[in-house]
Amino acid sequence: MKHTPGLRVIPARYPLRLLGAGMALLILATVVQSVALNPRWEWAVFARWFFDPVILNGLYQTLLLTLSGTVLSLLFGGLLALARLSPSWLLSSLAWGYIWLFRSLPLIVVLIILYNFSYLYETLSLGIPFTALSWGSFQTINVLGQFPAAVIGLTLVQSAYTAEIIRGGFLGVDHGQFEAASALGLSSWRRTWRIVLPQALRAIIPTAFNEIISLTKGTAIVYVLAMPELFYTIQMIYNRTQQVIPLLMVGAAWYLAITSVLSLLQYGVERWLARSVDRQPAPSIWRQWRGRIRSFTDKQEPDHVRSH
């Protein structure tokens, strides 16, 4: 059998890519050095306050606001989206008007109006409009305190954005899926819950998580209500100690931790939903890194292709 000489496979070279990666690492190292070794950042003060009980209590309030606003806005936003997609012109118009109004108003304006609601309306009553008939009333000053006003304000504004996200996800489902479900004789509820919603979730989830992350950072605006959430607590401390930068970094680090956890949760949910589409789910980040390291080590060895 005749022996043919081996053919050496030479990997492609990307010098500009290597140059860009080197410059990026250089810039990153410069930023890390300037932040870590600059004494004016006062990292000792940062460490002193990071796990302080007062800060942790403000963090708890922020997480509670985020959870309450997220759950309520998903429920109310889902109802608004269904109303927006309803064949009833009245429901659709009312839902459109609500979404138009609360997407136009800044959150801080809504919060201040709600906090002063008892000044505008001393009592709320249940009855028939434009008549004296009433079945009961209560004082608004006893209902809308700091926390309820904050939750209601966040929910009112966030629901408008959530409704449009959910509506867009439903509209992204192919119309043939609706027709096929109708042909099977499924009720509208089962058609929505079992056929349309699982497909719409793949488009809803990424944008919805972005809105949840924005809601987490948006809770900082609640400081106008003098509610002791994370940002307001930090303000009160640095107004007393005059250690502004390190305390702001404490808040930034906690917000970064919260959004990082939400990003990991989003990644896991998206991989779980992708199982119905891909036979082979996308490899995790750790498997991708292991594959890159393995391919890099393989390139260090000579690669020959022999044929006989």
Side-chain angles (χ1 to χ4, degrees), residues 60 127 230:
Y60 170 75
L230 181 59

Side-chain angles (χ1 to χ4, degrees), residues 7 18 32 34 53 65 71 90 103 123 127 132-133 140 145 160 167 184 203 222 225 230 243 268 272 281:
L7 301 176
L18 294 176
V32 170
S34 67
L65 283 173
V71 173
L90 179 59
R103 285 205 304 176
T123 61
L133 185 60
T140 56
R167 186 177 73 91
L184 292 174
V222 179
L225 307 183
L230 181 59
Q243 297 167 328
W272 181 74

Side-chain angles (χ1 to χ4, degrees), residues 254-270:
W254 276 121
Y255 283 118
L256 182 62
I258 297 171
T259 55
S260 298
V261 171
L262 290 173
S263 298
L264 289 175
L265 183 60
Q266 174 186 352
Y267 176 75
V269 172
E270 288 180 354

Side-chain angles (χ1 to χ4, degrees), residues 176-193:
Q177 299 293 322
F178 293 86
E179 296 176 346
S182 299
L184 292 174
L186 297 177
S187 63
S188 59
W189 173 255
R190 294 189 64 190
R191 182 168 64 242
T192 301
W193 187 256

